[in-house]
Amino acid sequence: MQLHQDNDPRDGYTILGHASGEVWINDVRLTASCVVSPRRLIRDWPPQRLEELAPAHLAQLAELDPELVLLGVGARLRFPAPALLQPLLERSIGVEVMDTAAACRTYNLLKGDGRRVVAALMIAAPEG
């Protein structure tokens, strides 16, 4: 799915598209979980699936100083245990949990509005 056609590098990192098991950020195709903010791209973020998510992963996101974290948890919406979100909540950082496709779309909207947004995207290939 094409999300955004403008790929001006001066605008920072933009999610251009996503499909099952992959996401395109600027001109880069990623097939493993990642973290993206307007000025930073972290490839190979460790949790590939929600079951692998740990507080240390969210503490890493807090270090990016966002006002809001979009947590894309894969192809279907599932919620992490509330205790996992503590590293963000302790710093008054908002958290929105959604499927990865919705997180991609929402990231671009918030980035376009100039918000300090971070999208943590779990994009593991589908099983089976």
Side-chain angles (χ1 to χ4, degrees):
M1 172 183 208
Q2 183 82 20
L3 291 179
H4 190 280
Q5 293 184 3
D6 183 12
N7 191 20
D8 186 342
R10 295 171 296 176
D11 290 338
Y13 291 103
T14 300
I15 300 173
L16 299 179
H18 63 86
S20 181
E22 58 189 22
V23 65
W24 294 273
I25 299 175
N26 290 9
D27 292 329
V28 179
R29 176 181 175 259
L30 300 169
T31 58
S33 297
C34 64
V35 176
V36 61
S37 73
R39 299 285 171 231
R40 189 147 182 219
L41 174 61
I42 300 170
R43 301 173 191 224
D44 298 321
W45 189 52
Q48 296 300 303
R49 292 181 172 72
L50 182 62
E51 297 77 23
E52 298 170 33
L53 187 66
H57 300 130
L58 296 173
Q60 180 185 16
L61 303 177
E63 295 302 318
L64 298 173
D65 193 34
E67 63 182 289
L68 177 65
V69 169
L70 305 174
L71 184 60
V73 295
R76 66 182 174 90
L77 179 60
R78 296 175 297 143
F79 291 93
L84 288 175
L85 304 177
Q86 275 312 117
L88 299 173
L89 300 176
E90 287 172 353
R91 297 183 186 192
S92 300
I93 298 170
V95 182
E96 291 292 334
V97 178
M98 52 190 68
D99 65 64
T100 297
C104 289
R105 293 187 301 268
T106 305
Y107 168 82
N108 282 343
L109 291 171
L110 294 173
K111 175 188 171 277
D113 286 343
R115 303 278 302 273
R116 288 188 349 261
V117 62
V118 166
L121 307 172
M122 296 180 197
I123 53 175
E127 295 177 8

